[in-house]
Amino acid sequence: MVKIIFFGASKYSIPILESLCKDKTIEIVAVVTKPDKKADRNLTLKENIVAQIAKKLNLNIVKTETFDNEFLQKYHLLKPDLGIVVAYGPPYFTKAMIDFPKFKVINIHPSPLPKYRGATPAPYQIINGETKSALTFFQIDELPDHGPIIKSIPFKIDSTDTSSTFYDKAFNIASDSILNVIKNYMENPNKIINQDHSKKTFYTKLTKDMAKIDWSKPADYNERFIRAMQDWPIAWTKIQNKKNQILTMKIFSSKIINNNLSIDTVQIEGKNKVPWKEIKNYYKIII
């Protein structure tokens, strides 16, 4: 029986966790995720989706924002053989934490490492017009997305992919392949390949401010940009109404027609989503 400690805090972690639970030779000794956060207008504490699913699967749940002494005591008592990290984010692992399990800790990253290291690999691959990507299983070290590669599985980026559909595709591949990958890895844990760090690229985490559309960019770039901002933080621009009021408008979808950007679904602050064509005569985009 292989004892695995699982780290995840995103909906994209769930398919992998569920696949691991189906294998009778694996014991999930704990699911480590983030603490409950306040949600809705009443600021009610709400468990993240990983904790909710882990509870349904009757798994041991550990919620933490830091790898403090209290967490480390639990970590050592669990005596995992392997750690698996999927869309967990900081805090980062120390060398002592990585080396504690027999088979160390592996991460699953949706890019062809060493390219597109960082917290948000999907948006930048779409923005840059990439047509191919890869799902990379790698052994973590103390630097972000830096450790040796265990397995890389290529996949296609479609011309209609948003960041959301890109991640769905990548982590479904991870779900389908995780059991074979970790089985082969544990049979020969030294069969790993160091990354060529001279080819690395790194992209920072997105913010809402970074989702503002730059209208000086070409139409095809902005079409990709709008797809890349789905489903967060959502592309936006400033508009002006007939009363000369300046408002913010989110743009959810668009397409290229005759080499021009044609905006589809939008949402002006305080209003519902509508097709741009229904309201465009009443507003002017501020370029």
Side-chain angles (χ1 to χ4, degrees), residues 33-259:
T33 191
K34 300 301 173 71
D36 302 352
K37 290 187 176 180
K38 292 179 179 179
D40 65 43
R41 293 180 180 178
N42 297 321
L43 299 179
T44 307
L45 281 175
K46 185 178 179 181
E47 286 186 316
N48 71 54
I49 187 65
V50 176
Q52 293 175 41
I53 297 300
K55 187 177 289 184
K56 289 180 181 179
L57 294 169
N58 295 314
L59 298 173
N60 177 30
I61 302 169
V62 178
K63 299 175 183 178
T64 186
E65 285 283 7
T66 62
F67 294 151
D68 55 16
N69 287 334
E70 181 182 355
F71 172 79
L72 290 175
Q73 286 179 352
K74 294 177 182 177
Y75 184 66
H76 288 100
L77 287 171
L78 291 166
K79 297 180 180 178
D81 298 308
L82 172 68
I84 295 179
V85 182
V86 187
Y88 181 70
Y92 298 109
F93 291 73
T94 63
K95 188 176 188 304
M97 288 182 66
I98 295 165
D99 290 343
F100 181 68
K102 178 181 178 181
F103 297 104
K104 301 186 183 295
V105 181
I106 67 174
N107 197 348
I108 301 173
H109 188 77
S111 85
L113 291 176
K115 295 182 178 179
Y116 295 99
R117 294 176 179 174
T120 49
Y124 293 104
Q125 289 178 74
I126 293 171
I127 289 169
N128 291 342
E130 303 284 5
T131 58
K132 296 178 182 178
S133 185
L135 183 76
T136 305
F137 295 81
F138 70 101
Q139 191 183 89
I140 71 168
D141 59 19
E142 294 172 277
L143 297 175
D145 304 327
H146 179 273
I149 292 171
I150 297 166
K151 177 79 172 179
S152 184
I153 303 173
F155 65 91
K156 180 182 176 184
I157 303 176
D158 294 318
S159 61
T160 56
D161 269 332
T162 64
S163 288
S164 182
T165 63
F166 176 104
Y167 284 134
D168 282 338
K169 186 186 301 183
F171 288 110
N172 282 334
I173 292 170
S175 172
D176 291 341
S177 57
I178 183 68
L179 295 175
N180 281 334
V181 170
I182 63 172
K183 179 182 177 182
N184 291 334
Y185 165 69
M186 288 186 295
E187 287 177 352
N188 194 350
N190 295 319
K191 193 177 180 181
I192 50 180
I193 301 171
N194 289 330
Q195 294 186 39
D196 182 350
H197 304 301
S198 68
K199 296 181 179 179
K200 71 177 180 181
T201 58
F202 186 89
Y203 290 86
T204 59
K205 188 174 182 179
L206 289 170
T207 65
K208 289 184 179 180
D209 287 345
M210 293 167 69
K212 184 179 181 182
I213 295 176
D214 180 354
W215 293 106
S216 69
K217 298 286 188 182
D220 58 344
Y221 175 96
N222 279 330
E223 188 276 333
R224 296 194 304 272
F225 184 87
I226 290 166
R227 286 190 284 114
M229 294 302 109
Q230 293 284 354
D231 52 0
W232 193 90
I234 308 298
W236 61 274
T237 189
K238 289 293 184 181
I239 57 172
Q240 186 175 25
N241 64 15
K242 297 292 186 180
K243 296 179 181 179
N244 293 324
Q245 294 173 311
I246 306 300
L247 303 167
T248 299
M249 182 176 76
K250 294 178 179 179
I251 302 179
F252 292 88
S253 59
S254 65
K255 54 182 172 286
I256 298 295
I257 299 178
N258 297 326
N259 297 320

